Amino acid sequence: QVQLVESGGGLVQAGGSLRLSCAASGRTLSTYVLAWFRQAPGKEREFVAALRWSGSMTYYADSMKGRFTIFRDNAKNTVYLQMNSLRPEDTAVYYCAADARIRTRLTMQREYDSWGQGTQVTVSS
């Protein structure tokens, strides 16, 4: 397991941008998948994006493609989620997650064994 701390959430107007950070500590991330999920009130937690640390291969939910970008800073052991063109429906608590052994099920929250505390993103119209 790895310890994860999210930051960067806040209030933004529709059409604006935010960058979320997820700082990881405790282990090397070379074998890890890191991901962002989000959960809005009354909804299930949903997959947003994922990154394989080794090689920086990325994966996105279809609804996020073209607006959100996941990327890493290897020196800082940090993964980011750049969110552009934000919409009110993007309002949610955003969680960082990590797992060392995911093969193909990286969109499934139950595959991840490490989670951050979440950071609130609120998009106003």
Side-chain angles (χ1 to χ4, degrees):
Q1 292 186 325
V2 62
Q3 291 74 51
L4 305 172
V5 179
E6 303 102 326
S7 62
L11 176 65
V12 65
Q13 289 189 329
S17 299
L18 283 174
R19 181 178 293 174
L20 307 182
S21 299
C22 175
S25 63
R27 299 189 182 192
T28 178
L29 300 177
S30 61
T31 65
Y32 274 75
V33 174
L34 287 100
W36 290 95
F37 290 78
R38 69 184 186 185
Q39 187 167 22
K43 295 185 177 180
E44 295 290 315
R45 193 169 297 183
E46 67 174 336
F47 173 77
V48 175
L51 177 150
R52 293 190 184 275
W53 199 263
S54 179
S56 295
M57 291 177 286
T58 58
Y59 311 84
Y60 297 92
D62 287 342
S63 62
M64 317 300 172
K65 292 179 180 177
R67 296 195 301 128
F68 292 6
T69 304
I70 187 171
F71 63 99
R72 67 170 183 152
D73 186 328
N74 188 56
K76 297 181 179 180
N77 261 26
T78 298
V79 65
Y80 302 90
L81 183 69
Q82 178 68 44
M83 304 186 293
N84 298 325
S85 301
L86 284 164
R87 307 162 182 167
E89 53 263 42
D90 295 319
T91 296
V93 177
Y94 284 71
Y95 296 90
C96 183
D99 197 271
R101 299 184 181 276
I102 295 174
R103 301 291 182 89
T104 61
R105 300 175 181 174
L106 47 75
T107 65
M108 301 177 65
Q109 64 169 315
R110 296 189 182 276
E111 292 294 314
Y112 294 84
D113 63 5
S114 298
W115 290 84
Q117 80 287 347
T119 185
Q120 176 72 47
V121 172
T122 302
V123 184
S124 63
S125 59

